[in-house]
Amino acid sequence: SQQGEEDPQALSIQEGENATMNCSYKTSINNLQWYRQNSGRGLVHLILIRSNEREKHSGRLRVTLDTSKKSSSLLITASRAADTASYFCATDASNAGNMLTFGGGTRLMVKP
Amino acid sequence: GAVVSQHPSRVICKSGTSVKIECRSLDFQATTMFWYRQFPKQSLMLMATSNEGSKATYEQGVEKDKFLINHASLTLSTLTVTSAHPEDSSFYICSGAQGAGETQYFGPGTRLLVL
């Protein structure tokens, strides 16, 4: 069953703006990961944040994790048209043997 | 990062035929491989988990006799969709991991269209 819920389901912004996507989950986790998927393509791993971490940066990406609220956010700063894709969060739940459960995804469109 | 390939990338078949999809870890040994299915504009749904040399563990609602998984080596897993029907048309993605708790590396996916 899907654990992660993402919002918004779709987001349309102008190039240069920031994009924020949120993910909520239900059970305790080992880590939470964010992936990107271009239309009809495979997944690209963006960033992993462990349950004992609160914030992580990678280039223009910033991920936060609030385990008390069971939520995470992905911020893409200074967006580019090439950032247009679907973004998924995935949780690696405790005792699940690194099985990932994916959220519904956010479809991001960045207009040039 | 580690690379996972899938073959074919796209397949069209007639209803009632069987289709085999290969998933290979190219530069690492995947003790565990995962198979996901993704319908248009939806998220990935885990179908099954396979450990090398043992039977796959299927998620609830996934028919093991319809989706045959073989993980005979540390670098190859296959998913065979038997007696495919149009509702099996989907995007199938595999991933491999070197062990429990290790990062999953995803393949590029296989798009199956059953006519």
Side-chain angles (χ1 to χ4, degrees):
Chain A
S1 62
Q2 289 291 319
Q3 161 155 253
E5 295 294 331
E6 294 182 62
D7 80 272
Q9 291 186 336
L11 179 62
S12 181
I13 59 175
Q14 293 295 134
E15 217 168 18
E17 294 180 340
N18 296 341
T20 299
M21 290 160 267
N22 303 296
C23 169
S24 60
Y25 57 92
K26 297 175 183 174
T27 67
S28 60
I29 60 172
N30 290 321
N31 62 67
L32 186 145
Q33 303 174 38
W34 284 91
Y35 290 85
R36 165 199 169 116
Q37 184 183 36
N38 284 57
S39 181
R41 307 292 293 273
L43 296 176
V44 174
H45 184 262
L46 295 177
I47 201 164
L48 180 153
I49 186 165
R50 301 190 187 281
S51 60
N52 61 352
E53 297 176 310
R54 292 296 167 258
E55 188 170 312
K56 213 163 181 181
H57 297 254
S58 177
R60 294 184 294 113
L61 305 180
R62 173 175 167 256
V63 168
T64 62
L65 178 64
D66 187 335
T67 52
S68 66
K69 295 181 180 178
K70 290 186 169 59
S71 67
S72 174
S73 67
L74 170 67
L75 168 67
I76 303 175
T77 60
S79 64
R80 305 167 183 168
D83 294 329
T84 295
S86 290
Y87 292 83
F88 295 92
C89 68
T91 51
D92 179 355
S94 304
N95 304 317
N98 89 322
M99 284 171 53
L100 294 178
T101 303
F102 284 82
T106 295
R107 292 188 298 281
L108 173 67
M109 175 172 287
V110 181
K111 300 176 182 177
Chain B
V3 179
V4 174
S5 70
Q6 280 184 242
H7 177 80
S9 59
R10 184 184 296 263
V11 57
I12 301 173
C13 69
K14 292 182 179 179
S15 187
T17 60
S18 294
V19 175
K20 180 185 282 189
I21 302 170
E22 293 186 349
C23 175
R24 293 180 185 273
S25 57
L26 299 185
D27 51 3
F28 70 101
Q29 293 186 325
T31 304
T32 306
M33 284 186 164
F34 303 85
W35 286 94
Y36 297 84
R37 180 167 51 184
Q38 184 182 32
F39 292 107
K41 297 187 178 180
Q42 295 189 28
S43 189
L44 281 76
M45 296 293 294
L46 180 65
M47 298 175 67
T49 303
S50 73
N51 292 297
E52 185 265 339
S54 58
K55 289 184 179 180
T57 301
Y58 289 80
E59 293 299 298
Q60 193 172 7
V62 179
E63 299 175 57
K64 62 179 181 180
D65 294 330
K66 180 168 183 63
F67 298 99
L68 302 179
I69 292 172
N70 183 288
H71 190 172
S73 79
L74 287 171
T75 59
L76 173 65
S77 176
T78 60
L79 167 67
T80 301
V81 183
T82 62
S83 187
H85 291 285
E87 56 265 31
D88 297 324
S89 298
S90 189
F91 194 51
Y92 292 87
I93 302 176
C94 72
S95 70
Q98 288 181 286
E102 297 292 325
T103 300
Q104 288 185 38
Y105 298 97
F106 286 81
T110 296
R111 186 163 301 284
L112 170 64
L113 177 61
V114 184
L115 302 176

